């Protein structure tokens, strides 16, 4: 509406400027308008040099040449007759130079037709302009039912499967789809049918959309891509209309591929909302189901969709015949992380000391997007330091920044707080070094970063796919090491252990309710999976056990926490000298690197405990035990 009003005002201003310009050009600033009587008197006195008669207008020039007079003669009047009737002598009339001008068609048009025609033209143009605006609005309203699907441009899309590191199984599945479209006879002669759809499942950042772009780059067929949220509008039926328009375009260009990103925006399970299940989103989903596996089954259109919420998708969307294949993309392992780092470091100048394998070992749990962000942060840090290359120390700093946040140089602890923090982090580190199944320590510091006033970094020596009960208990004891150190050394507790208690309590509850590792409750699982929250469903987690069992669970979790706190306190009591040494070094140096820390505790490390390689000064964490300030970020070490 504002755009229409603005255009109307602009048009009126332009018209006014045009009219003012015409008036300015047509007028003569040297001519003075007077009455015809004054001109007659001047002629009678012999003061006029010449007179020009243009129709009913008289322009007289005075002899001194200073002024030019203009007067209206009046219709059906002759200037000479007027002079004679006014008593001007014949000698004066004969001595006066009188020029009669014949009006041309241009002046007649300007003087007679244009004053009538110009308002009419302006009004007509104004009405036409308004009709164009209204027509454009109507066209936009009628185009709601058309999908905004985009056709991939092969010249701009440079991504290929070779540019996607890791995800080998997913690439093989998608390569097969591309090959089916390129060479269909190879499969048809064996009776194979083209798959209708491929659903990419995985956590955010694992490369679902990147794989889809690689399919577009590899395929020699049209590739349409659209987001699931672009189907839904405020008007009922628009989403279904857009789905029909999308598949209509795809069928005209078959064989082709259609990629729907974030399909959970329209593919959520039906029958979970209010109003009898007739809302816009469910109609859109119904239309997708019909288009993918309706009566028209001979179209060579393959649908690739991506989502990180497979638990909320409608079962009819997941059945064979619609999405025949479900490809799961996991977080990359150490080899995949190294390959991903190689891909993202191609356009970055790295020094010779950079070991991407080492960085991959110290970034477990990182997705492809996290690794790309890590190298980008490293490049930014190197640029801020006016470096021309990215070295290993910069990348280690970047890992800490991604994990915990930037350094907080302005956050300075008082001497007492620094001592408490040093003992707190020393307790974490000492127990992590002594307990057999606890992850080895890689760095201890009392420097503030992000929301942590201090932190201890721990990293498993190898990637774990299963956890034992003993490793759970040792990790809980290590998490309680800071709490135990504060209580044992100072006889007082601080708020610094809040995050440790939260993570340890979560781990202990999972051990009892999810993994069946409790000796008191036995091999029974008491945890129901969290269902997606919809309108009409019960909020929260559904319990499949009684209140009496809930009390037993709470008691068992409390028992595990107390026992591990006693274990942590016992370790700190037995190795008080080492704890004091670690704390003093932290107060003095603020940070203990890997070699420095193990130089202190090398005589108390149990036999058989695996230790990390010592060739890198600052390895990076997967488990972070931190001193909290007020509200801390929860870090769960159990995947």
């Amino acid at each position: 509406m504002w755009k229409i009003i603005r255009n109307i005002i602009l048009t009126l201003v332009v018209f006014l400027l045009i009219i003012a310009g015409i008036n300015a050009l047509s007028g003569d600033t040297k001519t003075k308008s007077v009455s015809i009587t004054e001109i007659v008197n001047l002629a009678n006195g012999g003061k006029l040099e010449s007179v020009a008669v243009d129709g009913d207008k008289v322009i007289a020039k005075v002899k001194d040449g200073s002024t030019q007079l203009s007067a209206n003669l009046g219709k059906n009047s002759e200037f000479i007759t007027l002079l004679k009737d006014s008593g001007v002598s014949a000698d004066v009339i004969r001595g006066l130079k009188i020029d009669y001008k014949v009006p041309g068609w241009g002046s007649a048009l300007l003087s007679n037709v244009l004053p009538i025609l110009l308002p009419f033209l302006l009004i007509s143009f104004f009405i036409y302009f308004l009709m164009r605006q209204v027509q454009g609005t109507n066209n936009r309203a009628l185009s709601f039912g058309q999908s905004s699907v985009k056709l991939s441009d092969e010249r701009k899309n440079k991504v290929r499967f070779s540019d996607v590191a890791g995800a080998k199984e997913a690439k093989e599945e998608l390569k097969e789809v591309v090959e089916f479209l390129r060479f269909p006879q190879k499969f048809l002669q064996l009776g194979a049918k083209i798959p209708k759809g491929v659903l990419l499942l995985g956590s955010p950042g694992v490369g679902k959309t990147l794989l889809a772009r690689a399919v577009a780059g590899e395929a020699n067929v049209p590739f349409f891509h659209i987001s699931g949220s672009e189907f839904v509008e405020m008007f009922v039926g628009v989403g279904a209309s857009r789905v029909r328009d999308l598949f209509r375009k795809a069928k005209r260009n078959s064989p082709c591929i259609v990629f729907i990103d974030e399909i959970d925006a329209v593919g959520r399970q039906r029958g979970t909302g209010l109003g009898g299940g007739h809302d816009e989103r469910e109609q859109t989903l119904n239309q997708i189901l019909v288009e993918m596996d309706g009566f028209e089954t001979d179209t060579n259109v393959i649908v690739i969709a991506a989502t990180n919420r497979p638990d909320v998708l409608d079962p009819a969307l997941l059945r064979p015949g619609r999405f025949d294949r479900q490809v799961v993309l996991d977080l990359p392992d150490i080899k995949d992380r190294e390959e991903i780092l190689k891909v993202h470091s191609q356009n970055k100048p790295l020094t010779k000391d950079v070991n991407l394998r080492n960085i991959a070992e110290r970034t477990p749990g990182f997705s492809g997007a996290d690794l790309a962000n890590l190298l980008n942060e490293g490049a930014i840090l190197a640029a801020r330091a006016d470096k021309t290359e990215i070295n290993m120390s910069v990348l280690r700093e970047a890992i800490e920044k991604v994990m915990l946040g930037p350094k907080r140089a302005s956050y300075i602890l008082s001497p007492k707080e620094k001592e408490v923090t040093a003992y707190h982090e020393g307790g974490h580190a000492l127990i992590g070094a002594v307990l057999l199944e606890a992850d080895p320590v890689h760095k201890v510091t009392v420097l503030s970063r992000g929301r942590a006033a201090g932190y201890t970094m721990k990293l498993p020596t190898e990637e774990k796919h299963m956890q034992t009960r003993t490793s759970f208990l040792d990790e809980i004891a290590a998490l309680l090491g800071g709490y135990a150190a504060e209580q044992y050394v100072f006889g007082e507790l601080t708020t610094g252990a809040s995050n440790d208690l939260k993570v340890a309590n979560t781990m202990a509850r999972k051990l009892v309710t999810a993994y069946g590792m409790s000796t008191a409750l036995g091999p029974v699982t008491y945890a129901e999976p969290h269902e997606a929250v919809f309108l009409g469903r019960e909020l929260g987690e559904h319990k499949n056990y009684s209140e009496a069992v809930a009390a037993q669970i709470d008691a068992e979790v409390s028992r595990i926490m107390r026992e591990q706190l006693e274990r942590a306190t016992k370790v700190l009591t037995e190795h008080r000298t080492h704890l004091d040494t670690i704390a003093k070094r932290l107060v003095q140096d603020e940070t203990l690197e890997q070699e420095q820390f193990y130089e202190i505790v090398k005589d108390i490390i149990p036999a058989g405990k695996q230790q990390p390689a010592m060739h890198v000064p600052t390895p990076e964490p997967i488990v972070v035990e931190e001193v909290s300030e007020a509200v801390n970020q929860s870090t769960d070490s159990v995947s």
Side-chain angles (χ1 to χ4, degrees), residues 268-306:
R268 290 175 178 264
Q269 187 171 349
R270 293 167 293 177
T272 55
L274 301 176
H278 293 291
D279 62 341
E280 167 68 3
R281 180 178 50 80
E282 293 188 4
Q283 290 190 23
T284 305
L285 174 59
N286 292 337
Q287 190 62 44
I288 293 177
L289 298 177
V290 172
E291 293 289 347
M292 289 191 67
D293 191 18
F295 285 99
E296 297 183 20
T297 59
D298 57 342
T299 55
N300 293 333
V301 177
I302 297 180
V303 180
I304 300 177

Side-chain angles (χ1 to χ4, degrees), residues 72-93:
N72 290 324
L73 180 61
K75 294 183 178 181
N76 302 321
S77 298
E78 289 290 339
F79 183 65
I80 295 178
T81 305
L82 179 62
L83 292 177
K84 292 178 179 179
D85 294 341
S86 300
V88 179
S89 65
D91 293 336
V92 173
I93 294 175

Side-chain angles (χ1 to χ4, degrees), residues 211-456:
L211 273 175
R213 292 179 59 195
V215 172
E218 294 284 348
N220 289 328
V221 296
F223 185 93
F224 297 92
H225 55 97
I226 192 172
S227 173
S229 60
E230 295 183 43
F231 290 114
V232 181
E233 273 284 357
M234 61 181 293
F235 301 107
V236 177
V238 171
S241 176
R242 290 182 175 178
V243 171
R244 289 191 294 269
D245 182 69
L246 166 63
F247 281 89
R248 190 182 303 115
K249 293 177 180 177
K251 291 172 184 177
R252 285 200 300 263
N253 293 274
S254 64
C256 69
I257 297 175
V258 175
F259 175 63
I260 304 176
D261 199 6
E262 303 295 346
I263 195 174
D264 53 278
V266 292
R268 290 175 178 264
Q269 187 171 349
R270 293 167 293 177
T272 55
L274 301 176
H278 293 291
D279 62 341
E280 167 68 3
R281 180 178 50 80
E282 293 188 4
Q283 290 190 23
T284 305
L285 174 59
N286 292 337
Q287 190 62 44
I288 293 177
L289 298 177
V290 172
E291 293 289 347
M292 289 191 67
D293 191 18
F295 285 99
E296 297 183 20
T297 59
D298 57 342
T299 55
N300 293 333
V301 177
I302 297 180
V303 180
I304 300 177
T307 181
N308 53 17
R309 294 293 308 278
D311 54 316
V312 304
L313 295 180
D314 192 273
L317 196 63
L318 301 177
R319 73 163 178 83
R322 291 195 173 106
F323 283 103
D324 303 272
R325 302 182 182 184
Q326 298 182 22
V327 180
V328 179
L329 280 76
D330 295 318
L331 291 172
D333 57 19
I334 183 171
K335 185 177 180 181
D336 291 340
R337 291 197 298 273
E338 183 180 5
E339 294 178 0
I340 293 171
L341 288 169
K342 289 179 180 178
V343 170
H344 291 294
S345 62
Q346 288 177 356
N347 62 340
K348 295 177 175 62
L350 304 179
T351 58
K352 295 181 179 179
D353 69 322
V354 172
N355 188 339
L356 296 181
R357 174 72 181 189
N358 195 265
I359 296 175
E361 291 174 354
R362 283 147 184 82
T363 51
F366 275 46
S367 65
D370 293 329
L371 295 172
N373 184 44
L374 163 65
L375 290 175
N376 185 63
E377 288 291 343
I380 293 174
L381 291 174
R384 289 173 58 185
D386 296 327
K387 296 181 179 180
T388 58
E389 292 182 318
I390 305 172
N391 56 26
M392 196 68 178
S393 62
V394 169
L395 291 179
R396 290 196 296 268
E397 173 70 16
I399 294 176
E400 291 190 25
K401 184 177 181 181
V402 171
M403 290 288 295
L404 296 171
K407 286 183 178 179
R408 298 171 60 189
S410 61
Y411 186 81
I412 301 175
L413 297 174
S414 65
K416 180 63 176 178
E417 289 176 333
K418 192 173 185 179
E419 183 183 11
V420 173
T421 304
Y423 272 99
H424 182 106
E425 298 302 332
H428 285 311
L430 182 60
I431 295 174
V434 172
L435 296 184
L436 188 63
E437 294 293 332
D439 292 333
V441 176
H442 288 265
K443 183 176 181 178
V444 190
T445 181
V446 294
L447 294 176
S448 178
R449 182 181 289 274
R451 289 181 289 180
Y455 50 93
T456 300

Side-chain angles (χ1 to χ4, degrees), residues 463-532:
E463 295 204 29
K464 297 181 181 180
H465 301 285
M466 291 187 295
Q467 289 273 36
T468 63
R469 183 175 184 272
T470 303
S471 65
F472 274 129
L473 296 178
D474 286 357
E475 286 299 333
I476 293 174
L479 285 165
L480 295 175
Y483 183 94
E486 292 181 10
Q487 191 176 44
Y488 171 61
V489 176
F490 301 100
E492 185 64 84
L493 297 173
T494 68
T495 59
S498 61
N499 185 70
D500 301 330
L501 294 173
K502 180 179 179 180
V503 176
N505 183 75
T506 302
M507 193 180 299
R509 188 166 292 275
K510 286 183 178 180
L511 189 148
V512 174
T513 61
Y515 305 133
M517 295 181 178
S518 170
T519 55
L521 296 174
V524 181
T525 177
Y526 296 99
E528 286 290 328
H530 287 269
E531 294 182 344

Side-chain angles (χ1 to χ4, degrees), residues 4 7 27 37 99 112 127 148 154 176 209-210 213-214 227-228 246 267 310 313 341 394 408 448 472 522 529 605 627:
I4 296 176
N7 291 336
T37 303
D99 183 20
N112 299 319
I127 294 174
S148 57
E154 291 294 331
E176 190 174 293
T209 305
L210 183 63
R213 292 179 59 195
S227 173
L246 166 63
L313 295 180
L341 288 169
V394 169
R408 298 171 60 189
S448 178
F472 274 129
I605 298 176
V627 176

